[in-house]
Amino acid sequence: MDDCIFCKIVKGEVPSFKVYEDDRVYAFADINPISEGHTLIIPKAHAENLGEISDEDLVAIHRVSKKMYHAMQKTLGAGGIALVQANGRAVNQVVMHYHLHLIPRKDSQPRLAATQWDLVPGDMDTIKAVSAKIAAALGH
Ligand code: 5GP
Ligand code: ZN
């Protein structure tokens, strides 16, 4: 896609700090890191979101995320690593080219907001009805 910033990064038209590359996947440092080592893994082929990405690229990205997990633990001494992936503007997807965030955090750092919420029990009838709707859409 001509006007996509991440496609331009893949093509080398926009500079990036490359961390990993193979036939399908490109990984590079986020330039607005929320922790040291914040990295993005993307498919080389443009896909906007989880609905569009090919199964093969999705698998390739998650295989790389596992390699990256070990590399980050070894080099950064991360106490935890969050994988965050947004689909759509309602959940703050800003760059409309699929990307998986890897966000390492040290035990001494404050918890990542995206992984911390208050556990407030929901209404069981609503939970049941909504999960039944999703299951039906999946054919279960
Ligand atoms: P989103 O909110 O879409 O999940 O996150 C997009 C991410 O892309 C942000 O964390 C932002 O810092 C990063 N980003 C946006 N433009 C660039 C860029 O030109 N280079 C790099 N390395 N990261 C970018
Ligand atoms: Zn793109």
Side-chain angles (χ1 to χ4, degrees):
M1 254 217 169
D2 287 349
D3 60 349
C4 170
I5 183 78
F6 285 179
C7 283
K8 287 182 179 168
I9 285 177
V10 169
K11 286 187 265 180
E13 294 170 6
V14 167
S16 65
F17 296 108
K18 179 166 88 172
V19 175
Y20 176 89
E21 181 175 15
D22 64 28
D23 289 353
R24 291 185 175 276
V25 171
Y26 191 81
F28 57 104
D30 195 305
I31 46 165
N32 303 290
I34 55 173
S35 304
E36 188 179 85
H38 182 172
T39 300
L40 302 172
I41 312 179
I42 66 172
K44 287 186 168 175
H46 181 88
E48 185 167 312
N49 54 38
L50 187 59
E52 280 189 8
I53 191 170
S54 71
D55 288 355
E56 291 78 9
D57 282 353
L58 192 61
V59 168
I61 283 172
H62 279 270
R63 283 186 190 277
V64 173
S65 75
K66 188 170 177 181
K67 287 184 206 285
M68 205 87 84
Y69 172 90
H70 291 301
M72 284 176 164
Q73 283 216 313
K74 209 190 305 179
T75 53
L76 303 175
I81 299 168
L83 272 63
V84 176
Q85 195 272 311
N87 299 282
R89 295 185 206 285
V91 289
N92 285 335
Q93 183 180 5
V94 173
V95 177
M96 305 315 271
H97 178 131
Y98 182 101
H99 50 281
L100 181 64
H101 294 261
L102 272 84
I103 306 169
R105 299 285 276 193
K106 293 192 167 52
D107 284 329
S108 57
Q109 287 180 293
R111 295 294 172 258
L112 195 61
T115 60
Q116 187 178 46
W117 54 83
D118 292 335
L119 296 181
V120 180
D123 175 74
M124 291 305 144
D125 290 338
T126 307
I127 294 171
K128 186 178 173 187
V130 173
S131 35
K133 257 196 228 177
I134 300 169
L138 288 165
H140 281 273

